[in-house]
Each structure stands twice: as C-alpha cells, then as structure tokens.
Amino acid sequence: QVQTVESGGGSVQAGGSLRLSCVVSGYTAGDQCMGWFRQAPGKEREGVATIDTDDGSTYYGDSVKGRFTISQENAKNTLYLQMNSLEPEDTAMYYCAAAPGFRLLCDSWLTRENLYIAYWGQGTQVTVSS
C-alpha cells in the first residue's frame, strides 16, 4: 500500500520560516515528479513547487519564487519544502504528491495537477500570522 505522509507544518509569524517534509513509501520509485500543492480556505488547490526526480529540475509557482525551495533525498524517497519569508497569504493546507512515470512534464504538472495519476498525502497545515 502506497503511503504519502507530510510533516513540518505549524504556525509562524510573517517573515518566519518552516520546513515541510514528505515521505513516500510502499513502492519503488523510479522516474517521477514529486511536488507540493496547497489549498487555502475558499480557494482551489494550486501548485507550489515540483521536481523531476530524474534530473533534479525544479519548478515554482510565481507567488513563491525566491522564497521557497523544493529538494529531494532519493535514497529515502523523501521530499522537502523550505519556506522562507513566509507571508499571511501562504496560509494553507500543504499537500505532497508523487506522480510515477517516465519523461513526465513536471513543469506542466505544477499547473495541471490532474495531468498525471499521483499519490497524495493528507496534508499539513501552515498558518502565517501578520
């Protein structure tokens, strides 16, 4: 059974930092896209950052460029999201997802989450106060 488990969310003041982690277990990961998505109350879920685990290419939503960094630790099938300079607008439930496949377009997946079949976590809440 595939499991995707996020951790590291919490409450922080504006300007602060948080680091989210995600572990995917239950299958042998080969080439895939992994990524972070978020959903704020009353809004649709949006892509935050994705990574091509084959070549390490990373892609970011416009609102987080320069502030967030996505990274991976393949040996542990682990994904991270380092979030700096957090703003109240970053408040949301953050979801980790892994989309197995070959030669996937991880940049397109950032804006079209239904592009590929993916394993999703339950989410971790991030709250940023002003």
Side-chain angles (χ1 to χ4, degrees), residues 17 21 32 53 57 61 70 79 86 89 95 109 120 123 126 128 130:
S17 299
S21 301
Q32 61 180 331
T53 63
S57 297
I70 188 171
L79 186 70
L86 282 161
E89 292 74 22
Y95 298 90
W109 187 49
W120 291 85
V126 171
V128 184
S130 57

Side-chain angles (χ1 to χ4, degrees), residues 69-86:
T69 302
I70 188 171
S71 61
Q72 61 176 333
E73 190 171 351
N74 278 349
K76 297 184 178 181
N77 214 23
T78 301
L79 186 70
Y80 303 100
L81 184 68
Q82 178 65 44
M83 304 185 294
N84 298 329
S85 302
L86 282 161

Side-chain angles (χ1 to χ4, degrees), residues 2-84:
V2 177
Q3 286 190 315
T4 304
V5 180
E6 305 97 335
S7 61
S11 298
V12 65
Q13 288 192 327
S17 299
L18 283 174
R19 189 193 196 203
L20 305 184
S21 301
C22 168
V23 177
V24 182
S25 61
Y27 76 101
T28 302
D31 293 346
Q32 61 180 331
C33 298
M34 295 185 74
W36 292 95
F37 297 76
R38 68 185 182 186
Q39 187 168 22
K43 295 186 177 181
E44 292 188 353
R45 190 159 61 187
E46 63 173 353
V48 175
T50 58
I51 186 168
D52 185 326
T53 63
D54 182 37
D55 64 12
S57 297
T58 57
Y59 308 93
Y60 295 92
D62 289 341
S63 62
V64 306
K65 283 180 182 176
R67 300 187 298 122
F68 291 10
T69 302
I70 188 171
S71 61
Q72 61 176 333
E73 190 171 351
N74 278 349
K76 297 184 178 181
N77 214 23
T78 301
L79 186 70
Y80 303 100
L81 184 68
Q82 178 65 44
M83 304 185 294
N84 298 329

